[in-house]
Amino acid sequence: MHLDYPYRIDARRRTAETTDDEWVRDLVEQLLFTAPGERVNRPTFGSGVLRLVFEPGGDEIAAATQFLVQGALQRWLGDLVEVQDVEVRAEESTLRVAVRFRTRSSAEPRTAIFSRAV
């Protein structure tokens, strides 16, 4: 078992735990929405995807964002996941990222959808 993200206290009044699959999903979410430079001891950790909400739309930005996200996932979580597809959409002030991946420990594909209002 792993610590749940975001950190919380469960009904037993203990630190909440989560399953392996949910832990990996939580790691993907943390990577996506952490800006490079935000973590003191890991200044290159993150994808920088939140700043793209304010960029002009278009096919070029979408392709660059997908490349950026896939690269960050490979670099930081490549030992845990195999990324199959990334879809990024910015709609007004909301960023939506869908990541299709497999964990290295199982062959079952998963899709995780994340959204953030900025």
Side-chain angles (χ1 to χ4, degrees):
M1 296 300 275
H2 304 278
L3 295 180
D4 197 10
Y5 172 82
Y7 182 83
R8 64 184 175 83
I9 303 298
D10 65 11
R12 303 171 304 161
R13 296 185 182 197
R14 295 182 180 174
T15 298
E17 297 176 338
T18 190
T19 63
D20 289 343
D21 286 342
E22 285 301 311
W23 175 68
V24 171
R25 184 205 175 280
D26 292 346
L27 290 175
V28 171
E29 180 177 8
Q30 290 174 55
L31 176 66
L32 289 177
F33 296 115
T34 299
E38 191 173 323
R39 295 209 176 166
V40 175
N41 292 325
R42 292 185 185 231
T44 59
F45 180 84
S47 68
V49 76
L50 282 179
R51 72 174 180 246
L52 297 171
V53 171
F54 303 106
E55 296 294 327
D59 293 337
E60 296 83 12
I61 293 295
T65 303
Q66 288 176 346
F67 181 74
L68 179 75
V69 169
Q70 285 179 333
L73 287 167
Q74 285 294 342
R75 177 175 183 195
W76 293 102
L77 300 177
D79 58 332
L80 296 173
V81 299
E82 175 187 336
V83 179
Q84 297 175 324
D85 188 38
V86 175
E87 179 185 322
V88 180
R89 275 196 268 156
E91 298 165 348
E92 295 183 17
S93 63
T94 301
L95 182 70
R96 181 180 174 277
V97 180
V99 180
R100 195 170 71 227
F101 64 93
R102 279 189 250 211
T103 60
R104 299 276 184 201
S105 61
S106 76
E108 184 178 326
R110 298 194 52 205
T111 300
I113 299 172
F114 309 96
S115 63
R116 282 284 158 90
V118 292

